[in-house]
Amino acid sequence: MARLLGVDIPNKKKIPYALTAIFGIGISSGRKICKIAKVDVEKRTEDLSESEFAAIRDAASKFQIEGDLRREQHNNIKRLMDISCYRGIRHRKKLPVRGQRTKTNARTRKGPRKTIANKKVETK
């Protein structure tokens, strides 16, 4: 496997698809990187020369990827929670943020069901 920006990318795939192994790069941005680096999108990772690999590395470094992107996303969510806006409150309570229903669904976000024990109240 080739190593690019601290991430192993697969050898057998075409370059735009192989670049998706890097967090923050999808297929469309992978194609943009190939266009900036002037590399054929039909080439496979194993067929790249060192100069092409260096050009891809330089083009990809212009994008916000991996640790920087994760840090920014975490800071954005933390900011929402700090200002206590609706989305921040939903994040804090670990509930769906984007308007999904929670009465019957949202098991992925809420976790497994918690049974509530019935307490009997004795009256004298």
Side-chain angles (χ1 to χ4, degrees), residues 103 107 110 112-120:
K103 183 176 180 181
R107 289 283 35 124
K110 289 166 73 173
R113 287 186 172 86
K114 301 171 193 96
T115 55
I116 301 170
N118 290 337
K119 292 183 181 179
K120 294 182 180 178

Side-chain angles (χ1 to χ4, degrees), residues 28-122:
S28 61
S29 53
R31 288 189 183 121
K32 286 178 190 174
I33 290 170
C34 289
K35 189 175 182 182
I36 293 168
K38 296 182 178 123
V39 176
D40 184 25
V41 294
E42 295 298 315
K43 266 194 170 179
R44 302 207 179 250
T45 309
E46 60 192 357
D47 300 332
L48 288 176
S49 66
E50 282 299 319
S51 61
E52 291 172 328
F53 206 70
I56 289 174
R57 186 181 301 115
D58 293 339
S61 64
K62 294 176 185 171
F63 287 78
Q64 188 173 23
I65 52 173
E66 285 297 321
D68 296 334
L69 182 60
R70 291 179 204 269
R71 194 175 306 108
E72 184 180 336
Q73 286 179 344
H74 176 72
N75 288 339
N76 288 341
I77 292 171
K78 189 175 183 315
R79 178 181 50 83
L80 291 173
M81 290 192 294
D82 289 344
I83 64 174
S84 294
C85 66
Y86 181 77
R87 282 174 52 203
I89 292 168
R90 301 296 283 186
H91 273 291
R92 197 178 305 145
K93 291 180 178 180
K94 295 189 168 98
L95 290 170
V97 177
R98 297 186 176 177
Q100 297 91 332
R101 67 180 295 135
T102 56
K103 183 176 180 181
T104 56
N105 295 331
R107 289 283 35 124
T108 303
R109 185 74 192 199
K110 289 166 73 173
R113 287 186 172 86
K114 301 171 193 96
T115 55
I116 301 170
N118 290 337
K119 292 183 181 179
K120 294 182 180 178
V121 179
E122 295 181 26

